[in-house]
Amino acid sequence: MKILYAVQGTGNGHITRAIEIIPYLQQHGEVDILVSGIQSDIELPFEVKYRFKGMSFIFGKKGGVDFWKTFVKLNSIKLIKEIKKLDLQPYDLIISDFEPISCWAAIKAKKDCIGLSNQVATLHPLAPKPKKNDIIGKLVLQNYAPTSYNYGFHFKRLDGTIFTPIIRKQVRELTPTNEGHYTVYLPSYDDSQILKWLKKMPAISWKVFSKNSKKVIQIKNIRITPINTDLFLKSMASAEGVLCNAGFGTASEALFLKKKLMVIPMKKQLEQAYNAQMLLEMGVAVIKKLNIDTIPKIRKWLNEDTIVTVDYPDNTQEIVSLIVANHAGNKKFNTNYESDNYTFFQ
């Protein structure tokens, strides 16, 4: 059996999940890997057959997506050519982790494409939604990488198609300790913005991991380190708490490691707004932005000992086996979309 596994390269969570999923897919057949996007800091330790520029959202410096830079870097003609270029006829199973080229190529080829991501879970009818209805954001989330059937991951299991997060082996093998510092990862904020506000809490040891800094910088109680996977995981495992965006990967790992967690959803990023709503309902501290108005809320969080308890079993093999059993060899294109354009396989 030939399998295509397509991964979104914007952000690190998709890549870290792929590292766990691919070996189990390889037990079922020959796996070709496709990666599109330009924002990940992590490389896959597998041969990648297809690399495309795709569509990447560019992080800004004030807590959100920089839509101007995103627009400038988007080459729609090249994107269409990439979709047309991708030949899906040899594949018996196509799986997409919110990767658009494989999804649109599958529509063109009239083949099923199976969604497997956090993004599809946020659209599930049982997933909590923010009170503010972002119509444009929802349309983007629905149509960015449209799939025939969906399986997903959320901070809590919702039903037979939405599972708890895949926690990478590297994190599962960590031994959590508490050395008293707080680990910070806010890639949508400029380092100067992070420094401006965190320095108002001088009694706290902050370890900030940055996509922008090229060297380690120590400014009083704040240490800024270029993003490095091993150093970041070591810092998170030994931290008292974690302050991060509401992306799925880091928040899931912090919960798994039993760390105090506060999240700041990235502005104009609906998936993170949905993630934040779920986390809020679970008891995780959530603030809208990093500014003078939220400093009291951060101080309150620092003084509390609330740790949200989760149970994230290692069920990656079972999830992969379920998808293969349900969909391998199914080449009939499904046009019966339900529940906001998504059919959830039961």
Side-chain angles (χ1 to χ4, degrees):
M1 178 170 65
K2 288 206 68 173
I3 302 169
L4 178 70
Y5 182 63
V7 187
Q8 168 65 251
T10 298
N12 299 326
H14 304 276
I15 300 296
T16 57
R17 182 160 54 237
I19 292 171
E20 301 302 314
I21 288 174
I22 289 169
Y24 292 114
L25 282 174
Q26 290 173 333
Q27 294 178 7
H28 294 276
E30 179 185 346
V31 180
D32 287 342
I33 301 168
L34 183 157
V35 177
S36 75
I38 55 175
Q39 287 286 88
S40 177
D41 302 300
I42 301 172
E43 284 291 327
L44 279 173
F46 306 99
E47 179 183 354
V48 176
K49 183 168 184 177
Y50 307 100
R51 285 192 183 274
F52 296 118
K53 184 177 180 181
M55 291 187 287
S56 289
F57 294 104
I58 308 300
F59 299 144
K61 296 183 178 182
K62 296 182 179 179
V65 173
D66 189 324
F67 282 106
W68 174 247
K69 284 188 177 179
T70 298
F71 176 75
V72 168
K73 287 185 176 291
L74 175 62
N75 186 332
S76 57
I77 296 175
K78 183 180 176 71
L79 178 67
I80 292 170
K81 286 181 178 179
E82 289 176 339
I83 293 170
K84 290 182 177 180
K85 180 181 177 181
L86 182 60
D87 180 12
L88 297 181
Q89 292 307 319
Y91 296 105
D92 303 295
L93 178 63
I94 303 161
I95 301 174
S96 172
D97 187 338
F98 204 57
E99 193 292 309
I101 292 174
S102 57
C103 295
W104 288 102
I107 291 175
K108 177 177 174 291
K110 293 183 167 51
K111 299 188 73 167
D112 281 348
C113 183
I114 312 305
L116 181 63
S117 68
N118 166 241
Q119 283 79 4
V120 300
T122 62
L123 292 171
H124 192 281
L126 297 179
K129 311 292 191 299
K131 292 181 180 178
K132 185 177 180 181
N133 188 20
D134 183 350
I135 296 174
I136 295 176
K138 190 173 183 180
L139 284 172
V140 171
L141 197 57
Q142 288 174 337
N143 296 291
Y144 177 85
T147 46
S148 314
Y149 298 95
N150 284 295
Y151 299 79
F153 306 97
H154 220 321
F155 296 109
K156 292 195 303 184
R157 183 159 186 167
L158 299 179
D159 66 4
T161 66
I162 306 299
F163 310 96
T164 52
I166 290 179
I167 303 298
R168 47 183 156 163
K169 183 180 179 182
Q170 194 176 1
V171 173
R172 289 187 179 277
E173 292 177 346
L174 293 170
T175 301
T177 58
N178 185 350
E179 296 181 3
H181 66 270
Y182 284 77
T183 297
V184 180
Y185 182 54
L186 296 169
S188 61
Y189 281 93
D190 185 73
D191 293 347
S192 63
Q193 286 289 311
I194 296 173
L195 282 167
K196 178 181 179 180
W197 302 117
L198 294 189
K199 72 180 183 181
K200 294 185 178 297
M201 293 159 280
I204 303 298
S205 174
W206 299 101
K207 293 189 176 182
V208 179
F209 286 82
S210 168
K211 292 176 72 73
N212 304 311
S213 181
K214 303 299 181 183
K215 60 181 180 179
V216 176
I217 303 171
Q218 183 77 42
I219 302 177
K220 295 183 178 181
N221 61 313
I222 303 170
R223 186 179 182 87
I224 298 178
T225 303
I227 190 69
N228 174 286
T229 300
D230 292 336
L231 291 177
F232 176 75
L233 291 182
K234 182 179 178 181
S235 176
M236 187 163 61
S238 60
E240 182 169 344
V242 176
L243 174 63
C244 62
N245 283 136
F248 190 62
T250 300
S252 297
E253 292 174 351
L255 290 172
F256 176 80
L257 292 169
K258 296 179 171 57
K259 300 298 176 181
K260 285 170 58 177
L261 176 63
M262 172 176 274
V263 300
I264 309 175
M266 197 179 294
K267 290 184 293 185
K268 300 178 183 178
Q269 224 277 24
L270 188 61
E271 177 218 340
Q272 292 211 6
Y274 285 0
N275 285 344
Q277 187 64 35
M278 171 70 91
L279 290 169
L280 183 65
E281 294 186 11
M282 291 170 62
V284 171
V286 177
I287 57 175
K288 290 184 178 180
K289 60 182 71 174
L290 188 61
N291 63 12
I292 189 63
D293 295 330
T294 57
I295 296 302
K297 295 180 180 180
I298 297 176
R299 289 195 176 113
K300 181 176 183 293
W301 171 68
L302 292 170
N303 290 325
E304 293 175 343
D305 296 321
T306 303
I307 295 175
V308 175
T309 301
V310 298
D311 179 21
Y312 292 161
D314 187 0
N315 55 4
T316 310
Q317 185 172 15
E318 289 78 7
I319 295 169
V320 170
S321 295
L322 176 67
I323 293 172
V324 171
N326 286 340
H327 300 286
N330 179 12
K331 297 189 172 97
K332 181 182 177 183
F333 180 65
N334 175 45
T335 57
N336 182 28
Y337 292 99
E338 298 174 357
S339 182
D340 294 333
N341 293 337
Y342 282 80
T343 297
F344 289 89
F345 191 89
Q346 300 296 332

